[in-house]
Amino acid sequence: MHLVEDIRNDWTRKEILALFELPFNDLLFQAQTVHRRYFDPNTVQISTLCSVKTGACPEDCAYCPQSARYDTGLEREKLMAVDKVIEEAKAAKAGGATRFCMGAAWRSPKAKDMSYVVDMVKGVKALGMETCMTLGMLTEAQAQQLSHAGLDYYNHNLDTSPEYYGDIITTRTYQDRLDTLDNVRNAGMKVCSGGIVGMGEEASDRAGLLQQLANMSVHPESVPINMLVKVAGTPLENEKDLDPFDFIRTIAVARILMPKSHVRLSAGRESMNEQMQALAFFAGANSIFYGEKLLTTPNPKKNKDMALLNRLGISPEAYHAGESDEVLEASLNDDLKKAQTDKYFYDASSS
Ligand code: SAM
Ligand code: DTB
Ligand code: SF4
């Protein structure tokens, strides 16, 4: 059942805050009800991240271990060779991912980099995976170039509300980010845009972030909700923990505001227990980053994630781009086959 009134682009801050203020069970019930109208509630999309260019970024994002302005002990790395990226994508596919997300620590790609990233898109796409990139700001022409290469998704986060934004980043404006998202949309790619919570913002900032995303004329197809990963050396390293229920509320409100979008339980899972992740799925999260590393920080071990999904009766979402179910079945990755046959029965001693 699709309800026309579910899909709106005129949310007021007051309405969104009222959702945040609902009793927890009422909010989760509403989110789960909306979720079931648009998605199989027992399926989660699986993406794997790859940092194709690490560290030494000129921007000053206060949360980021890759900014050259903070001493986080991160080793800078040059742009990865295209064949190395494709090897990593093959491994991600064999491990169960249907989407490969390539990230670069850039303010924006330089002209000399474009042919390499275009080749990465083509090579990964040829493996039968969805492609996503996050390379910083894009001009109209760069967005067109990536779209023509076959890039499916472009990730560019708004990060927080317009009001709180200036406390976190000063080297590019909120409007710069909105312009990049327009360029991505106009070039015909799918938009992946979300933010980070736990950066010392107020509930009204979390509402403001979601309001910006939900009031776009077309909702982002993918909405990553990151919990701040506190990295020593960054200005936010000692930020106080967000109440875990406020994180779950953010997922639930994102689900209600953007019913057809995939909401990703993104960075921060390494510091969440399994119960909290299960609650996030119940609140409407239906995508995760899978693999032992995000861009530079740890993510849960693959077998631990597969075990969790199995215990919850959740299956990975299949990728259907022109492939028949038989082909998909045949290419079902090794980890998954093992997970499905072993069922990864819960072993209390290992958790
Ligand atoms: N440099 C590009 C840019 O910022 O547009 C792309 C890569 S950047 C690392 C991608 C996103 O990762 C950021 O927008 C931010 O939302 C997220 N991120 C970075 N560091 C994080 C952290 N410590 N905790 C949570 N999310 C983080
Ligand atoms: C997103 O929203 N989260 C991902 C992805 N998009 C590129 C990145 C998370 C990075 C966490 C910190 C790190 O590993 O460096
Ligand atoms: Fe650079 Fe992106 Fe990190 Fe900001 S979030 S410092 S732009 S890598």
Side-chain angles (χ1 to χ4, degrees), residues 57 63-66 104-106 134-137 155-157 159 172 177 195-196 226-231 267 295:
C57 182
Y63 48 76
C64 188
Q66 303 202 68
W106 288 330
T134 179
L135 314 172
M137 295 184 289
N155 167 244
H156 197 62
N157 291 337
D159 281 347
R172 64 167 80 140
R177 289 182 186 256
I196 311 180
N226 296 278
M227 172 81 102
L228 175 70
V229 178
K230 294 179 217 172
V231 179
L295 288 171

Side-chain angles (χ1 to χ4, degrees), residues 247-299:
F247 179 81
I248 302 294
R249 283 175 189 278
T250 310
I251 301 256
V253 176
R255 166 53 61 225
I256 293 166
L257 301 189
M258 293 168 279
K260 293 200 288 190
S261 307
H262 277 79
V263 174
R264 184 175 295 136
L265 170 56
S266 196
R269 287 198 301 117
E270 182 65 349
S271 64
M272 293 175 198
N273 65 23
E274 292 169 321
Q275 295 86 330
M276 179 161 168
Q277 295 183 61
L279 214 42
F281 295 133
F282 187 74
N286 59 348
S287 174
I288 54 167
F289 283 126
Y290 176 67
E292 279 143 40
K293 213 172 182 195
L294 291 164
L295 288 171
T296 67
T297 63
N299 200 39

Side-chain angles (χ1 to χ4, degrees), residues 224-243:
I225 304 294
N226 296 278
M227 172 81 102
L228 175 70
V229 178
K230 294 179 217 172
V231 179
T234 63
L236 297 182
E237 68 172 309
N238 295 318
E239 196 51 62
K240 71 172 182 356
D241 283 341
L242 181 72
D243 178 341

